[in-house]
Amino acid sequence: MLLKNFAAVAAIAMATLTVSAAFDYADARTRRAQGQVATQRGTFTGAAETVRERGSRSRDSSVTGPNGRARSTQDDRAWSREDGTYTRDRTATYANGSQRSVDTDVLRTGEGTYSASREVTGRNGETRIQTGEFTATQTETGRTISGDINTTHAGQVDYQRDVSRQDGVRSVNSSATFEDGTSINRSSSASCADGSCSSSGAVTNRSGGQTSWDQTRTRTENGATRSRDVTYADGTSRSVDQERVGNGDGTGVVSRTITGRNGETRTQTGEYQVTREP
């Protein structure tokens, strides 16, 4: 929950980075994926289609559970480096028919300056709005983005994010300071070498509690492995170990073992198929 809360605060600022780093696809490309995963609760099936074109990307996905109930997501993004614009519309539809939507709009207003808005409509129909003005500045080792975010429930939030790259390591430090003087702080670092990537970080909440994580991802001859460990402020932890083994033709198998904060372990296994056009 802590990581989710910080993501909600930072999402509107992160969107401004997309404008400054956006690129265009020269040709349309379509990627389709489908698969099924067996769990202790039964078998889940899923499908996704992603279409990338110059200045846009759309993705439709759905998951159907063993009881036949389905959840689907539509995610559309569009950007223009020339016009300095970025939009993202995401709608999730749940098994009971309720929906949650997130609409984000970013506009470059000058050299290194941006305005952004983010509107979230929950499953209960309640709408929350975040707006902000940001400045992005290049530094010797990366960039800094800072600004003010005005939110429906949290009031004004002062946000800053510093990104640097040195000796193959990417470091990110960000903070969100609220009107009462409390803040949420996040720090992380990541690096990749010889087919393996690792990252670690921590989030400190407004009460001083800290959640930290470590993650590794390694490419294998015919797939990849991934592990993630999270330690919470109360000392409990959660770990996820995942392996993907491909057959070389777009098909393969996946396995995932999850050890929860209560020590209970769950295992999931499944098969997948991926096709690309052209």
Side-chain angles (χ1 to χ4, degrees):
M1 182 63 70
L2 172 60
L3 298 177
K4 183 177 181 181
N5 288 342
F6 185 85
V9 172
I12 189 172
M14 287 291 293
T16 67
L17 292 176
T18 305
V19 174
S20 58
F23 59 94
D24 290 333
Y25 292 98
D27 302 295
R29 293 184 292 171
T30 301
R31 180 179 185 270
R32 296 184 178 90
Q34 60 184 11
Q36 59 181 21
V37 175
T39 73
Q40 282 87 343
R41 293 185 294 167
T43 299
F44 292 76
T45 60
E49 180 179 273
T50 303
V51 179
R52 303 177 186 270
E53 298 183 86
R54 182 179 295 276
S56 69
R57 194 213 74 178
S58 64
R59 175 178 293 162
D60 294 320
S61 60
S62 63
V63 176
T64 302
N67 57 4
R69 303 180 69 184
R71 172 181 171 176
S72 62
T73 303
Q74 182 176 350
D75 191 317
D76 298 320
R77 308 183 190 190
W79 56 86
S80 170
R81 181 189 296 272
E82 181 179 358
D83 297 333
T85 59
Y86 169 79
T87 62
R88 181 184 181 185
D89 299 323
R90 185 179 189 275
T91 300
T93 303
Y94 300 86
N96 63 358
S98 63
Q99 291 185 324
R100 180 180 186 271
S101 64
V102 181
D103 298 328
T104 303
D105 294 280
V106 182
L107 174 66
R108 184 175 62 225
T109 55
E111 186 65 30
T113 60
Y114 303 87
S115 64
S117 64
R118 183 172 183 261
E119 183 174 304
V120 181
T121 301
R123 299 171 67 175
N124 59 359
E126 181 182 353
T127 297
R128 295 179 288 111
I129 298 176
Q130 301 168 344
T131 61
E133 302 289 335
F134 304 93
T135 300
T137 306
Q138 296 293 330
T139 65
E140 291 184 0
T141 58
R143 84 168 91 195
T144 295
I145 181 170
S146 60
D148 294 324
I149 303 172
N150 293 294
T151 69
T152 302
H153 298 305
Q156 182 174 316
V157 181
D158 294 328
Y159 182 82
Q160 181 164 324
R161 174 182 169 91
D162 300 309
V163 182
S164 66
R165 295 178 184 271
Q166 288 183 296
D167 302 324
V169 178
R170 182 178 185 269
S171 300
V172 181
N173 293 286
S174 53
S175 65
T177 303
F178 297 82
E179 291 180 343
D180 61 2
T182 61
S183 63
I184 300 175
N185 298 282
R186 184 183 190 276
S187 61
S188 65
S189 62
S191 62
C192 294
D194 301 324
S196 180
C197 295
S198 62
S199 63
S200 62
V203 177
T204 303
N205 65 20
R206 298 170 72 175
S207 301
Q210 186 177 87
T211 296
S212 61
W213 73 90
D214 290 282
Q215 179 173 292
T216 60
R217 186 180 188 278
T218 303
R219 291 186 179 274
T220 61
E221 184 178 351
N222 53 357
T225 61
R226 179 182 178 183
S227 64
R228 179 177 174 85
D229 298 296
V230 180
T231 302
Y232 299 89
D234 62 1
T236 60
S237 61
R238 180 178 186 270
S239 65
V240 179
D241 295 299
Q242 184 174 308
E243 182 178 16
R244 175 177 59 83
V245 180
N247 299 319
D249 59 357
T251 65
V253 296
V254 294
S255 62
R256 190 168 182 254
T257 301
I258 305 167
T259 302
R261 300 172 68 173
N262 59 359
E264 181 182 350
T265 297
R266 297 177 289 115
T267 300
Q268 303 168 343
T269 60
E271 301 177 349
Y272 68 88
Q273 178 179 353
V274 178
T275 60
R276 292 179 173 86
E277 299 175 9

